[in-house]
Structure formats: structure tokens, C-alpha cells
Amino acid sequence: MSAAEAGTGGAVKVLVANGPNLGRLGAREPEVYGRSSLAELAAKCGAWAAALGLAADVRQTDSEAELVGWLHQAADEAWPVVLNPAAFTHYSYALRDAVAQVPLVIEVHLSNPAAREDFRRQSVIAPVVRGTIAGFGLDSYHLALAELARLAAASA
Ligand code: DQA
């Protein structure tokens, strides 16, 4: 059993980390981010992960320091990560340096930042992740979890 399977009954633990303002999902610009709340996102990720043989630990913070700390934890515990860095995507070199320490991170976005304002077109996180899934609403997370499950099975 790998470190990522400890305490999950054999399922690979996945950290699903969400950055600033994502606690406002449902209320925040629903025409851009949809009408589902963070609690609904967490419940769906939990169910999708379980169906894929994963155990999702869904978290959200508005704090860059806390998010960096969670990435350190993922690096130490060998947890794969689904990360929505939210606005930190576009400027946080501290988060980028933390992400670079984690072997398997998939960056996700609800919206498609490349199709929005100029400042959203750059991700300082993208160069240090395995890949990015953007523009599919909550399904961006489902696609990322499915890919993590495929990668975990391929490396088992
Ligand atoms: C976001 C896109 C970011 O540009 C924005 O700052 C967010 C959410 C998304 O999921 O579409 O907060 O990461």
C-alpha cells in the first residue's frame, strides 16, 4: 500500500484544493461559475472519487499561506492533487514553487480563463503541473479525478 492509500481503506487519497473566492460558488457570478455551491462541488467530488476508487479530501481557502501549506502536506504525504488555484493562478509564484514540489498535480478551472480577460490568460502554475482542464464547470473536476485514477492504475 502506498503512502497515499494510508487510512483510506485502500483508496488513493486525492487532495482537491480550492483557492480564494471559491467558497462563494453559487452566489459568485453564477453566469461564469455556475449555480452549484462549494458544498455541492465537494459532495460531487466525493461521489466521483469513490466511484473511481479514490478518496477525495476537498478543501477551500482564501489564504495563500494555507494553500501553500496544503501543497507541502501533499508533497510530504505523496498525495496527488486536483488544484483550482483561482486568482492565484495568474500571479502567485509562492504557490507555483509549492506546486513544483508535488509530483502529480492537475490544474482545474470551472471557466475557461483563456477566453476571458487578458490577465487570466497567463497561468504561472501551468508550467509545473501535469496538465490543465478548464472550461467544463464542475465536470473539470470529474475529468481530473478520472485522469488521476487512470494514472494511479497505470502506475500500480
Ligand atoms: C477560476 C478562474 C480564475 O481566473 C478566477 O480567478 C477564479 C476561478 C475558475 O475556476 O474558472 O477564481 O480559477
Side-chain angles (χ1 to χ4, degrees):
M1 186 181 290
S2 71
E5 292 168 323
T8 63
V12 174
K13 172 158 171 156
V14 176
L15 174 62
V16 181
N18 294 283
N21 296 301
L22 293 172
R24 303 273 307 150
L25 283 180
R28 171 196 185 201
E29 297 177 86
E31 66 287 0
V32 178
Y33 299 114
R35 300 200 176 273
S36 298
S37 66
L38 180 68
E40 287 164 340
L41 182 153
K44 285 197 167 176
C45 284
W48 288 328
L52 290 161
L54 307 172
D57 177 356
V58 184
R59 306 182 191 176
Q60 188 275 329
T61 181
D62 293 334
S63 156
E64 186 179 35
E66 188 167 34
L67 195 51
V68 165
W70 291 345
L71 270 301
H72 294 170
Q73 192 181 7
D76 290 345
E77 305 284 347
W79 296 333
V81 178
V82 174
L83 174 65
N84 186 339
F88 293 146
T89 305
H90 312 298
Y91 66 90
S92 175
Y93 297 114
L95 184 60
R96 175 195 167 115
D97 286 350
V99 170
Q101 298 170 50
V102 184
L104 182 50
V105 179
I106 299 181
E107 177 182 346
V108 296
H109 299 282
L110 294 152
S111 68
N112 177 4
R116 299 180 61 198
E117 302 95 322
D118 281 353
F119 77 89
R120 295 189 203 274
R121 297 212 173 121
Q122 188 194 12
S123 169
V124 301
I125 308 299
V128 291
V129 298
R130 181 69 173 259
T132 301
I133 300 169
F136 301 100
L138 296 189
D139 281 338
S140 294
Y141 292 74
H142 195 183
L143 291 165
L145 289 166
E147 182 57 14
L148 285 185
R150 197 192 65 77
L151 291 168
S155 69

